Amino acid sequence: MPDPDPDLGGGIPMPPHAYVPGVNARHPEGWFDSIKASVTPEMPVSALATTQAWRAGWLYFDAGFYWECHEVLEAVWMQTPDASAERDMVQAVIQLANARLKIRMQRPRAAWRLCAMVEAHLARCPREGAILGVPVARVSGLLYRTVKQLQNAK
């Protein structure tokens, strides 16, 4: 059960550490359950952008908590319709978080593979506008910076 303080804003609890497989301890079972529970099966797709899980995913991503981002966004992804822009957007963010985690784990080949997956998801999204309240251009910019980081590490 997450400690309500400190939080990252909007009542979203800050994980005690950024989990990196093989480096530090995984979070206790159930730590993210209350956040993931903000997404419910009867929820319309249009409401997913307002969930604590979607907001937490972005806050965790921006704070460098990439494994945690993936963990909470999976609940959002599961409620998106197949072959939808919303599903592609959520998958793009999840895979981008995973790519950044692989960079942290010093696994550049895996990060490159994940960046290609992100690019494929974004290619299926409309170029203009926002999906689930997030401009596609924002995710494209994050992908660009991730690819630049990989290129500079060579």
Side-chain angles (χ1 to χ4, degrees):
M1 186 75 144
D3 178 358
D5 289 316
D7 73 41
L8 293 171
I12 296 170
M14 176 71 143
H17 61 275
Y19 173 55
V20 179
V23 174
N24 57 16
R26 190 171 171 163
H27 300 290
E29 191 67 33
W31 201 93
F32 298 97
D33 286 356
S34 65
I35 295 168
K36 293 189 291 187
S38 69
V39 179
T40 60
E42 69 279 351
M43 180 173 281
V45 170
S46 60
L48 292 172
T50 65
T51 63
Q52 191 177 42
W54 181 245
R55 293 189 336 263
W58 277 105
L59 288 167
Y60 292 165
F61 185 97
D62 290 341
F65 286 70
Y66 302 123
W67 184 92
E68 296 77 3
C69 168
H70 181 160
E71 181 72 10
V72 298
L73 288 185
E74 198 166 83
V76 178
W77 171 76
M78 290 173 58
Q79 292 306 313
T80 58
D82 289 338
S84 67
E86 292 85 5
R87 179 162 278 219
D88 276 314
M89 173 60 98
V90 177
Q91 285 182 305
V93 178
I94 288 171
Q95 298 301 3
L96 188 56
N98 200 3
R100 289 195 171 188
L101 179 62
K102 297 303 184 205
I103 291 170
R104 189 173 286 162
M105 295 169 67
Q106 300 179 0
R107 295 186 54 204
R109 280 195 285 169
W112 277 113
R113 181 181 54 79
L114 289 159
C115 285
M117 293 170 69
V118 173
E119 190 172 33
H121 287 299
L122 291 177
R124 291 188 291 269
C125 293
R127 290 249 186 257
E128 301 299 318
I131 299 170
L132 297 175
V134 176
V136 175
R138 177 174 185 217
V139 182
S140 294
L142 291 167
L143 174 60
Y144 175 81
R145 286 193 289 282
T146 304
V147 167
K148 280 292 187 197
Q149 184 179 356
L150 283 164
Q151 290 171 338
N152 292 337
K154 286 185 176 183

